[in-house]
Amino acid sequence: MMLRRDLLKWLAALAAAPTIAFAKDAPLRTGKAQPFNAQTVATRARALAAKAYAPRPTIPQEWRDISYDEYRSIWFDPRNALWEGTARPQRLDVFPPGLYFPRAVEINVVADSAARPVLFDEAVFERTDTFPDLPQNDHMGYSGLRLRADLLGDGDFTEYAVFQGASYFRGIGTGENYGLSARGLALKTGDPEGEEFPDFVAFWIETPAPSAKSVTVHALLDSPSCTGAFRFEITHGAVLDMVVEAQIFARKDLKNVGIAPLTSMFLFDATMRDRFSDFRPNVHDSDGLLIHNGAGEAIWRPLTNPVQLQISTFVDQTPRGFGLMQRKRAFDDFNDLEAHYHKRPSVWITPMGDWGAGAVTLVEIPADKEIYDNIVTYWRPSKPIPAGEARQFIYRLQWGGDPAPRTPDRLRVRHTAMGARMEGGEVIVIDFENGTAVPEDLSTLEIVLHASAGRTTPAILQRNPETNGPRLAFTFYPEEARAIEFRAQLLLDTTPLSEVWLYRWTPA
């Protein structure tokens, strides 16, 4: 479970940080050029995988010991950004080292088949008088990078993507707030011996042409178990689009490896309202896992915050797509004036090529505060990657309010709620959206409802006057069950009319 809420708050504060205290004329500087081509990163990753893992050296201890408030008191001056004052359509900022980031990352700029390193210079940052004077060593560098562009066409370059911390990166569609994160790779997630967090140790950013709609970022990944070469083609917009090419080189047998991992936060919603005393009706960055599997099913699995770690696997062959969604998009869904959870993006992953056999895996970790990332999902191949071998995965990541492709013939799940009945048992209510195929007489629909344990009452289907869509409700009695897997779907003339709703109940 990753503690990163403070980091996201710092990123938000950084975006709004004043830059008028002292004028600076210290644009980012680059060093000596080295040849670069499409195979440079993969060649380096392959060679690195043939050697024993060696952690990168650290920056001075004084930088690592600064407080959170001190780290917030130093920020990049955007007037020093790469390509500032040019006709290039992008701006590149850097982040200071220290605190959560004890090791610097290598950042390079590519132009004319050559890569030049971005040199560390403390003068590119603004600071308040509370930031201390700190020593430097030969291993100083930046902790990550940020991309900005003129998203609204008003000449104001605003951020839309950040690469910082382990192999984490974040993106937003235009007008959204940062929420869930993606990672280059997940290793040993949920394993008893603990998770392994690979690092992006170096980046290469290709200089965009003035007319370019996209920017290309290359990244080198390193970890005790493997290395990796990544290429991101990033196009900003209402939906931020990333095409990711990932080559993984195994140092050790990779038995529990997660491809295209997403990490999010889910504290509570209407299925567990009784566990949290809070003025807000919901608190989460994502509310469900959506899967379009190779069999043509559209599956909606509401997220939960269990009292014990639980791992769910959705076995598949050649998946069509999956992702963590934030379907609640209204302010009243959260009633939060600060977090703006209704503006957090969903992320949809579309595999490109045949990913073969495996499983979309969902890890749900108990959490008692919203500062914790407690949700992880990824694709886990059915076969391990043996030591000494390599695998390539290509996929598209789309960040936005509703980036998943619509299946017009399947009603989406809008809302799930749960609570105890006075006469005993637990009632579950599932609201589906309305659609043109929904008959006026809902009694003509077939309800498919299955519970793996316990006892359920016959389901009732009614029209919700607020949404005009069908509402499915039933009561269940757990009896002696410690876990129940539910599955529900609406059919019209034996044809699926809705998504498949899945839910795992466990006692609180």
Side-chain angles (χ1 to χ4, degrees):
M1 179 162 53
M2 289 298 294
L3 173 59
R4 58 82 161 138
R5 195 62 46 176
D6 281 349
L7 175 59
L8 288 182
K9 287 181 180 178
W10 176 80
L11 287 174
L14 182 68
T19 58
I20 59 174
F22 301 97
K24 300 258 186 184
D25 185 14
L28 288 171
R29 297 180 296 113
T30 58
K32 184 178 179 181
Q34 297 290 333
F36 183 89
N37 59 43
Q39 298 303 315
T40 295
V41 183
T43 300
R44 185 165 163 181
R46 186 181 294 107
L48 194 61
K51 303 176 183 178
Y53 173 73
R56 308 190 315 284
T58 59
I59 59 177
Q61 187 68 43
E62 292 86 345
W63 282 83
R64 291 142 58 191
D65 290 342
I66 61 176
S67 69
Y68 171 71
D69 286 336
E70 286 174 330
Y71 192 65
R72 285 189 59 188
S73 68
I74 182 172
W75 62 89
F76 183 74
D77 184 339
R79 292 169 296 182
N80 296 327
L82 197 66
W83 306 312
E84 179 68 17
T86 74
R88 307 287 179 189
Q90 307 282 340
R91 300 291 182 265
L92 186 144
D93 303 342
V94 293
F95 292 115
L99 190 58
Y100 307 121
F101 312 107
R103 295 178 172 88
V105 298
E106 176 188 335
I107 300 176
N108 303 273
V109 181
V110 177
D112 301 324
S113 301
R116 295 180 179 273
V118 178
L119 303 177
F120 180 76
D121 184 356
E122 198 173 342
V124 303
F125 299 107
E126 282 283 14
R127 69 189 67 206
T128 69
D129 56 8
T130 61
F131 189 81
D133 291 327
L134 301 174
Q136 298 185 16
N137 63 14
D138 293 338
H139 310 303
M140 293 299 296
Y142 305 112
S143 63
L145 62 93
R146 175 174 62 184
L147 296 172
R148 292 184 291 121
D150 184 1
L151 304 181
L152 300 177
D154 58 2
D156 185 16
F157 283 70
T158 53
E159 66 181 288
Y160 63 88
V162 167
F163 290 79
Q164 188 185 33
S167 68
Y168 284 85
F169 56 98
R170 306 164 188 86
I172 47 175
T174 302
E176 293 179 332
N177 294 354
Y178 284 116
L180 78 169
S181 305
R183 282 192 269 170
L185 198 67
L187 294 174
K188 306 178 184 178
T189 305
D191 280 5
E193 63 268 26
E195 187 167 1
E196 180 178 325
F197 291 92
D199 291 327
F200 281 143
V201 299
F203 295 95
W204 292 259
I205 302 90
E206 294 188 18
T207 301
S211 60
K213 302 294 185 182
S214 305
V215 63
T216 301
V217 176
H218 305 262
L220 174 66
L221 180 140
D222 195 18
S223 185
S225 297
C226 67
T227 66
F230 286 72
R231 181 183 185 275
F232 301 85
E233 184 175 347
I234 306 172
T235 307
H236 62 78
V239 173
L240 178 66
D241 189 271
M242 297 182 176
V243 176
V244 184
E245 299 177 18
Q247 290 181 270
I248 309 302
F249 302 89
R251 277 193 175 104
K252 303 176 182 178
D253 292 342
L254 303 181
K255 299 177 182 179
N256 183 357
V257 57
I259 306 301
L262 301 175
T263 301
S264 192
M265 181 276 294
F266 179 91
L267 190 64
F268 67 85
D269 67 0
T271 64
M272 57 185 64
R273 201 62 194 82
D274 56 318
R275 285 174 50 193
F276 294 88
S277 177
D278 199 298
F279 71 92
R280 299 166 294 182
N282 301 278
V283 174
H284 50 70
D285 283 345
S286 308
D287 54 9
L289 169 65
L290 178 63
I291 302 172
H292 292 177
N293 66 19
E297 290 183 311
I299 297 172
W300 176 254
R301 166 60 155 78
L303 298 179
T304 188
N305 179 0
V307 295
Q308 294 182 328
L309 171 73
Q310 61 182 30
I311 300 176
S312 305
T313 56
F314 306 87
V315 177
D316 201 359
Q317 178 81 33
T318 314
R320 300 182 181 182
F322 65 96
L324 293 176
M325 302 291 112
Q326 182 76 316
R327 282 186 171 172
K328 296 180 179 68
R329 308 302 301 178
F331 171 79
D332 287 348
D333 289 328
F334 302 95
N335 195 28
D336 194 317
L337 293 172
E338 295 182 358
H340 294 287
Y341 288 114
H342 63 294
K343 292 186 177 181
R344 306 291 173 102
S346 302
V347 176
W348 182 250
I349 297 164
T350 304
M352 302 174 73
D354 186 356
W355 281 17
V360 175
T361 303
L362 175 65
V363 181
E364 295 165 306
I365 305 168
D368 59 355
K369 296 180 178 65
E370 61 197 281
I371 60 174
Y372 299 113
D373 271 348
N374 63 323
I375 303 295
V376 184
T377 192
Y378 50 83
W379 172 257
R380 181 173 178 174
S382 61
K383 295 181 179 179
I385 304 175
E389 294 192 11
R391 296 287 187 275
Q392 183 178 52
F393 298 89
I394 304 175
Y395 54 96
R396 170 172 272 112
L397 274 171
Q398 292 174 293
W399 311 68
D402 187 16
R406 295 299 299 264
T407 49
D409 58 338
R410 308 288 170 88
L411 305 179
R412 297 191 314 170
V413 176
R414 290 174 56 100
H415 183 62
T416 302
M418 185 184 305
R421 298 186 67 96
M422 291 182 60
E423 59 270 27
E426 297 271 342
V427 63
I428 293 180
V429 175
I430 309 164
D431 276 312
F432 296 91
E433 67 182 358
N434 192 27
T436 56
V438 178
E440 187 65 29
D441 183 4
L442 296 183
S443 67
T444 62
L445 297 180
E446 179 184 352
I447 302 170
V448 177
L449 175 63
H450 175 74
S452 63
R455 177 172 60 89
T456 63
T457 63
I460 299 173
L461 191 63
Q462 298 172 296
R463 191 174 297 276
N464 184 335
E466 193 70 23
T467 66
N468 207 34
R471 167 175 282 192
L472 178 66
F474 62 93
T475 300
F476 74 95
Y477 301 86
E479 298 177 338
E480 302 301 318
R482 303 303 297 169
I484 303 175
E485 299 284 353
F486 291 103
R487 179 185 176 100
Q489 189 175 29
L490 304 180
L491 305 182
L492 177 62
D493 298 327
T494 72
T495 301
L497 178 65
S498 72
E499 296 175 329
V500 176
W501 174 89
L502 300 179
Y503 192 79
R504 175 183 290 177
W505 173 88
T506 56

